[in-house]
Amino acid sequence: MAKKRSRDMKARKHNDDPAAPPEMMKRKEYEAELDKLHVELVKLQMWIAASKEKVCVVFEGRDTAGKGGVIKAITERVSPRVFRVVALPAPTEREKSQMYFQRYMRYLPAAGEIVIFDRSWYNRAGVERVMGFTSEEDVRRFLRMVPSVEAAIIDSGTILLKYWLEVSADEQTQRLKDRITDGRKLWKLSPMDLKSYGRWYDYSRARDDMFEATDTLQAPWYVARTDDKRRGRLNIIRHLLDHIPYEELAREKVRLPKRQKRGDYVEPDYPFNYIKERY
């Protein structure tokens, strides 16, 4: 079983964290930095495909912490055939009867893939525990098993990165209020979000237990502050890139070939059903 990280290491890690930034990052600055990181993510994609490496990235955190936003920022300029996102629905009755990890193992990366879990097997230590969907005995069993399971994943040649997105209570409240009033975000507001909102400290206790059991030397948790979503996204992407030993691959200079001549082709007199141009 993987060794747990010592308490003094954890304390030192948190004491060394920089203070939260005083103001939110401006959109122009954010987009300029994100463009640079997107270039690096494309280089990473090409290296992963060529080297046949395997990467698994886990995103966890409270509701509204920004998991979806950072995943979108990572994947919006790369191929879904290399960067696969896994966001599983509630388990079926059949899946409930299986070994707990079974439904997640099938989604682990094959050679040449990066798999991103938008919530993962850690549901058992978080939402399932807090909302009473599983027993304390099952939670304790799960927490005992995780280090060994993750060690096996890593021993199989997979790079495993685990991120916890940390949002403050005040910021969570504001984001949920925004979801209530913004028609673009209504789909993000579920009855489960409202129930879990009132259980802030139950989630805190569950997070603390999870870290204590699964923050190992082999598979550590990395915590990102996300009250400022833009800074959080950039910091996570930069960290992810720094923890995968990719290289920029040499490629031939691209030249467009000459386009063929029209020859005897004639544009058809066909009544194409064009959409109405309203913009």
Side-chain angles (χ1 to χ4, degrees):
M1 181 176 292
K3 293 182 179 179
K4 306 284 179 58
R5 306 178 77 189
S6 64
R7 291 183 181 273
D8 60 336
M9 285 180 64
K10 294 182 184 179
R12 188 161 61 249
K13 174 183 67 175
H14 292 300
N15 290 338
D16 288 345
D17 282 349
E23 62 180 21
M24 298 294 185
M25 176 176 273
K26 300 294 189 292
R27 178 179 293 276
K28 186 175 181 181
E29 180 185 1
Y30 166 71
E31 291 180 347
E33 293 300 321
L34 185 59
D35 284 348
K36 298 175 187 176
L37 294 177
H38 279 158
V39 172
E40 294 303 313
L41 286 168
V42 171
K43 294 177 185 177
L44 170 62
Q45 170 183 290
M46 297 174 71
W47 179 81
I48 288 287
S51 66
K52 304 302 181 184
E53 291 289 337
K54 300 178 289 184
V55 178
C56 179
V57 185
V58 169
F59 283 107
E60 293 289 343
R62 303 175 193 269
D63 294 322
T64 78
K67 297 179 291 297
V70 72
I71 291 171
K72 180 180 179 181
I74 291 170
T75 58
E76 63 183 334
R77 297 292 183 179
V78 292
S79 170
R81 290 186 294 274
V82 176
F83 284 75
R84 292 197 296 110
V85 178
V86 177
L88 299 183
T92 64
E93 289 303 314
R94 181 176 184 274
E95 289 171 332
K96 289 178 182 178
S97 71
Q98 296 173 339
M99 183 184 77
Y100 178 72
F101 286 100
Q102 190 170 341
R103 73 188 296 244
Y104 295 99
M105 295 301 102
R106 60 182 293 202
Y107 295 101
L108 289 175
E113 292 182 342
I114 298 176
V115 170
I116 300 173
F117 281 92
D118 183 354
R119 294 198 184 279
S120 65
W121 46 90
Y122 284 102
N123 276 338
R124 174 132 297 178
V127 62
E128 290 186 15
R129 183 183 196 181
V130 172
M131 302 308 296
F133 297 152
T134 191
S135 69
E136 279 297 307
E137 180 182 357
D138 284 343
V139 172
R140 294 299 174 189
R141 182 185 302 112
F142 167 79
L143 292 176
R144 288 194 303 269
M145 292 175 63
V146 169
S148 295
V149 172
E150 291 181 348
I153 292 172
I154 294 167
D155 288 345
S156 76
T158 299
I159 297 172
L160 176 61
L161 295 170
K162 304 186 305 189
Y163 292 101
W164 175 269
L165 278 57
E166 187 68 23
V167 65
S168 67
D170 289 344
E171 182 64 18
Q172 185 190 53
T173 298
Q174 186 57 54
R175 290 179 187 178
L176 284 172
K177 287 181 177 178
D178 289 344
R179 291 182 181 183
I180 294 171
T181 58
D182 189 337
R184 301 169 299 174
K185 300 177 181 179
L186 284 176
W187 66 274
K188 294 184 175 183
L189 189 65
S190 70
M192 189 67 66
D193 294 333
L194 299 178
K195 290 180 181 178
S196 64
Y197 172 75
R199 302 184 184 183
W200 176 271
Y201 291 106
D202 286 343
Y203 269 99
S204 295
R205 294 185 188 95
R207 176 203 58 195
D208 296 346
D209 285 350
M210 183 183 78
F211 274 35
E212 185 66 29
T214 66
D215 186 20
T216 64
L217 288 171
Q218 195 168 17
W221 278 103
Y222 297 108
V223 180
R225 294 189 181 94
T226 56
D227 275 14
D228 185 335
K229 292 181 179 180
R230 292 168 183 164
R231 291 185 192 276
R233 292 168 190 167
L234 296 178
N235 286 329
I236 291 168
I237 296 173
R238 184 68 268 172
H239 184 277
L240 184 150
L241 290 166
D242 288 344
H243 283 74
I244 302 174
Y246 73 99
E247 299 174 354
E248 182 176 2
L249 301 182
R251 54 194 179 94
E252 296 181 2
K253 187 174 182 179
V254 178
R255 290 186 174 87
L256 292 176
K258 290 184 179 179
R259 184 169 287 164
Q260 65 182 152
K261 295 181 180 180
R262 178 188 294 270
D264 60 356
Y265 177 76
V266 178
E267 293 286 346
D269 183 16
Y270 185 81
F272 292 109
N273 192 23
Y274 288 107
I275 67 169
K276 186 174 182 179
E277 296 182 353
R278 302 184 181 186
Y279 303 99

